[in-house]
Amino acid sequence: MDVHGRDLRYFAAVAEELNFTRAAERLFVSQPALSKQIRMLEKQVGADLFHRDRRAVRLTVVGKALLPHARGMLAAWEAAEAAVEEAKAAELHTLVIGMSTSPGRGLLPALRTRLVSRHPHARPVLRQVNWADPSAGLADGSSDVAFVWLPLPDGDRYRYAVVAQEPRLVALPQGHPLAARAAADSEGAVDFTDLLDEPFLALPSEAGPLRDYWLALDARDDRAPRIGGVVGSAEETHEAVANGQGVALLATGNASLVVRDEVIAVPVRGISPSHLAVAARRDDERPLVVAYLAAAAMVAAGTARTEPPP
Amino acid sequence: MDVHGRDLRYFAAVAEELNFTRAAERLFVSQPALSKQIRMLEKQVGADLFHRDRRAVRLTVVGKALLPHARGMLAAWEAAEAAVEEAKAAELHTLVIGMSTSPGRGLLPALRTRLVSRHPHARPVLRQVNWADPSAGLADGSSDVAFVWLPLPDGDRYRYAVVAQEPRLVALPQGHPLAARAAADSEGAVDFTDLLDEPFLALPSEAGPLRDYWLALDARDDRAPRIGGVVGSAEETHEAVANGQGVALLATGNASLVVRDEVIAVPVRGISPSHLAVAARRDDERPLVVAYLAAAAMVAAGTARTEPPP
DNA sequence: CTGTTGTGATAGCCATGAGTTATGGATGTC
DNA sequence: GACATCCATAACTCATGGCTATCACAACAG
């Protein structure tokens, strides 16, 4: 049914040498082993491939018919191996960068520049990941590095560099009573205590601690939040806020993704700022990953005061 | 280094099903066997071919690179098998007809007609064989059937049908004294006793009994012939006779191959006639061979009185 | 004619390969 | 929470592919 590539290689060698002993030497096997394998191939094919007259070995008609195909298949396998090697090399130079929403803030070009300056072959690839996965693809291996919001669930499985620390805002429908209050405020802000009874849009439950963080559970003194809905993307969030399903906290740098049409965002007093980090799996020491995290640390040091994560 | 075709088949099946259990069923192997083989292939290739997430099996980048090559090789092997089958079929229908010199006498067309009437797929192939081999290729298998002169060395290895019995002539240079004597003879012939002291052209020594036969040893009463030279073809014979190296016996039906320019042929009294037969290896019972010998027997019965060989 | 050389086939042995069944562990479903 | 699905692992069996040693035969040298 199937052939072993080896048998074809043996066959081709004997067909070239027309001498089992020499072919065996060329193939680095013993002559009996070669004889046996050729016999097996002949049995499999159902016809002799060589005439073994006492004085000479010659191809049979069937052997002549098979030879070009055998050579073709050997060449095809070499091509396949080459293709595999190329794919492996390409993979080696590819860095998949996961993110929930675009990190913005000029981070991607900055990091990209630093990465390729150290690794000219590097090919960074951006990958959008559903909000249900707070590790942005690190957990299931679909990303090599990722922009994540702290705190990260299973934090000890990852290492990271914080690249941005920003106050959190609240997104409100334009006509919401608190919108007017903020407008009247000297800082244009609202107190988180004023939001305690508002329905909140939450991340999917799989997000774990991160969901709690964006509900600001730590600022609620164990009073359970009202959940107005679950959202999985910036678009959904915009829609839900606009429809009055609830309000949502968001990082300053992400405001532009949600604020438009009927939705505004105002600063919130009384909650901690958000921390955006570039993370990788702790045990992942591949050069590109290491280099990207190093670049992130450099960029963070250059643009913002690095502060300890919460 | 080499792949086993089976592994490629397994790989392609899993790549199609994206499910080891179902692929294993389709391949009629157990699921663990399939898992193991794929692992082996991955080890050989040096990279994973499938992502096995808990919930799903997907091709890796390397797997995607390999898949088309794998399919190509599987197709190539099918083509190779088809080519082999075709060659086997062609061989089955090919009949190699060996001969020292053209048998003439209208035998070839007659036999061919009878053969193809019984075996429409039959493809008779003519093959000229050196005179050194009196079996005309039967001995070394290079012919399936052959036109031979009796007696045949190793006669018990073959079976045959006599297709022609003819007086033997002697080829002489035109100016030879015996040429004049023959011209003066009432029958235009010479007595073999007149030839006893002539130098004779002989077949190569490998021809064995046949060489003796064409030297007419049986008609010499143990007086050794003078050998004027060794000849291996009609052309050589003509040259040697014309140059006066010696004279040569030949069958009536073959006279035209030697007689021209300075060479004539005249009947010889006192020697047995020659017997031309169609022969095959005794144990060769392939339909085409059997049919050709049967055809020869029919033709012989139709044209000449069949007489027992000498 | 005899010993030597070259070549392929055969025999006997052993490690590995490729298959089996039984079972484990993780995930998703009712 | 019991059950089904699905891939991996373990332990075993038997065929396969390799080895060495040897034979059989032809060609050739002395």
Side-chain angles (χ1 to χ4, degrees), chain A residues 6 10 30 32-33 36-37 54-55:
Chain A
R6 179 196 44 236
Y10 286 7
S30 68
K36 193 154 69 168
Q37 286 311 102
R54 292 290 188 286
R55 67 193 80 268

Side-chain angles (χ1 to χ4, degrees), chain A residues 56-74:
Chain A
V57 172
R58 331 189 295 287
L59 277 169
T60 61
V61 172
V62 175
K64 282 198 191 89
L66 179 58
L67 185 56
H69 289 90
R71 290 197 170 124
M73 292 185 66
L74 291 170

Side-chain angles (χ1 to χ4, degrees), chain A residues 113-157:
Chain A
T113 303
R114 284 168 189 268
L115 178 71
V116 299
S117 75
R118 296 289 304 273
H119 294 273
H121 295 300
R123 212 170 52 96
V125 172
L126 304 183
R127 182 163 176 277
Q128 195 78 15
V129 178
N130 190 283
W131 286 6
D133 178 8
S135 77
L138 291 178
D140 64 7
S142 59
S143 305
D144 298 317
V145 296
F147 287 89
V148 297
W149 293 105
L150 303 182
L152 199 50
D154 279 328
D156 53 347
R157 294 181 50 197

Side-chain angles (χ1 to χ4, degrees), chain B residues 2 35 54 126 132 157 161 179 182 187 197 208 236 240 263 268 271 300 306:
Chain B
D2 308 298
S35 273
R54 294 288 188 285
L126 304 183
R157 294 181 50 198
E187 292 173 321
D197 294 325
E236 286 177 48
V263 177
V268 181
I271 55 174
T306 305

Side-chain angles (χ1 to χ4, degrees), chain B residues 123-281:
Chain B
R123 212 169 52 95
V125 172
L126 304 183
R127 182 163 177 277
Q128 195 77 15
V129 179
N130 190 283
W131 286 7
D133 177 8
S135 78
L138 291 179
D140 65 5
S142 59
S143 306
D144 298 318
V145 296
F147 288 88
V148 297
W149 294 105
L150 303 182
L152 199 51
D154 279 327
D156 52 347
R157 294 181 50 198
Y158 310 103
R159 63 186 198 285
Y160 42 72
V162 175
V163 290
Q165 173 183 343
E166 316 168 323
R168 283 185 280 181
L169 312 180
V170 64
L172 303 168
Q174 209 153 29
H176 194 282
L178 287 173
R181 183 177 307 189
D185 187 84
S186 63
E187 292 173 321
V190 297
D191 291 314
F192 184 64
T193 50
D194 295 329
L195 295 169
L196 287 176
D197 294 325
E198 291 292 325
F200 265 66
L201 303 176
L203 294 181
S205 56
E206 300 96 303
L210 194 62
R211 169 184 161 117
D212 300 341
Y213 179 73
W214 287 105
L215 294 171
L217 235 58
D218 57 333
R220 288 179 188 270
D221 295 331
D222 295 330
R223 284 168 50 201
R226 287 175 60 200
I227 303 298
V230 172
V231 289
S233 69
E235 193 50 43
E236 286 177 48
T237 305
H238 171 83
E239 287 296 323
V241 171
N243 293 342
Q245 280 187 252
V247 301
L249 297 182
L250 69 165
T252 307
N254 283 349
S256 61
L257 298 172
V258 173
V259 172
R260 60 198 140 89
D261 303 339
E262 338 266 271
V263 177
I264 62 167
V266 299
V268 181
R269 278 187 293 265
I271 55 174
S272 60
S274 63
H275 294 89
L276 180 65
V278 172
R281 287 179 293 279

Side-chain angles (χ1 to χ4, degrees), chain A residues 100 131-140 147-160 203-214 275 279-282 310:
Chain A
S100 313
W131 286 6
D133 178 8
S135 77
L138 291 178
D140 64 7
F147 287 89
V148 297
W149 293 105
L150 303 182
L152 199 50
D154 279 328
D156 53 347
R157 294 181 50 197
Y158 309 103
R159 63 186 198 285
Y160 42 72
L203 294 180
S205 56
E206 300 96 303
L210 194 62
R211 168 183 161 118
D212 300 341
Y213 180 73
W214 287 105
H275 294 89
R281 286 180 293 280
R282 181 168 295 283

